[in-house]
Amino acid sequence: QYGSTLLALGGSCITLWTLDGTVLAKIPSQKTCNAVWLSPDGKLLVGAGGGHRMMVWSLPDLELVHVLDAPNRIWALWGTSTILASAGSDCTISVRSLETGAILLTYPRSGQVMSLWGPLDGKILTSAGFGNLTVHKLGQAKVVHDFQDDQGAWVECVWSDGILVAWVGSKGMTARGVESGAIVREFPVRGVVRCLWGFLCANSGDYVRVIGF
């Protein structure tokens, strides 16, 4: 979502709506689209999936800006106004320039990556996958934190604002401090969770986390 006007959804095509339900555009996909991403300024849309490539369009004219090759299926996308991170079944996170499409950084992972997230300042990047969650400081090779799930469960969703990192594993939702790594809160969760999001309440300064099942 960008502001209050756009939503993007993957599937056999990428669809853009206004929040009142009006369809703005449909972009067909040759392969199933597993991940979509809108840039923070709402000017770029990226779609990726099983076609071993990422498509980058400019908005609102839907001009194709880049076609970026990927070695395997892409499960997760995240970025800022200048960079795009992607990851999936090849167990590697790639960070590219949105201007040129060139790969700037790569981070190896111990398994497939299901989710990527980070704050808009682009200082850190979190990734979730098979049995663990990692926190990277962009530009540095060293992993800041590698949190293991006690039961080796898939970690399918992650969210971070640069201060906290939250994810859902076998014990429910866990929130830790990015710098300290210390647990801030833990919540039990029933069922499979595939989406996690945090909102900052302007009046209180507290976060309200919305979990989608």
Side-chain angles (χ1 to χ4, degrees), residues 1-211:
Q1 178 181 349
Y2 166 64
S4 60
T5 56
L6 287 178
L7 291 172
L9 180 71
S12 59
C13 68
I14 300 171
T15 306
L16 301 180
W17 298 273
T18 60
L19 290 182
D20 64 5
T22 302
V23 176
L24 297 178
K26 286 190 175 183
I27 306 171
S29 174
Q30 294 181 354
K31 300 287 185 178
T32 300
C33 188
N34 300 319
V36 291
W37 175 78
L38 282 169
S39 63
D41 58 10
K43 294 181 179 180
L44 292 176
L45 172 68
V46 184
H52 292 198
R53 62 181 182 174
M54 295 174 283
M55 313 292 285
V56 183
W57 294 274
S58 61
L59 294 175
D61 55 4
L62 293 178
E63 179 183 353
L64 187 61
V65 178
H66 295 298
V67 178
L68 306 174
D69 292 330
N72 286 290
R73 182 182 294 271
I74 297 294
W75 292 111
L77 296 169
W78 171 83
T80 68
S81 58
T82 58
I83 60 172
L84 173 68
S86 62
S89 60
D90 65 338
C91 308
T92 301
I93 303 169
S94 298
V95 181
R96 299 173 183 261
S97 164
L98 274 174
E99 181 179 1
T100 65
I103 295 177
L104 305 175
L105 300 164
T106 58
Y107 296 105
R109 286 279 270 123
S110 58
Q112 297 186 39
V113 176
M114 302 301 294
S115 181
L116 295 170
W117 200 257
L120 293 179
D121 60 16
K123 291 182 179 180
I124 70 163
L125 175 62
T126 62
S127 66
F130 184 68
N132 72 330
L133 178 139
T134 61
V135 179
H136 293 271
K137 283 191 176 180
L138 285 174
Q140 298 181 14
K142 184 180 178 181
V143 177
V144 179
H145 297 294
D146 185 353
F147 302 119
Q148 302 291 319
D149 186 90
D150 292 343
Q151 299 179 21
W154 279 99
V155 182
E156 296 194 27
C157 54
V158 60
W159 173 86
S160 177
D161 64 346
I163 300 172
L164 296 175
V165 57
W167 72 93
V168 178
S170 60
K171 291 184 176 180
M173 195 199 85
T174 301
R176 290 179 180 261
V178 168
E179 291 295 331
S180 68
I183 294 176
V184 178
R185 292 292 298 273
E186 289 183 306
F187 301 96
V189 175
R190 293 182 179 179
V192 177
V193 179
R194 302 192 185 278
C195 182
L196 184 65
W197 196 273
F199 297 90
L200 180 62
C201 299
N203 294 332
S204 66
D206 294 331
Y207 283 103
V208 177
R209 292 174 185 84
V210 178
I211 302 175

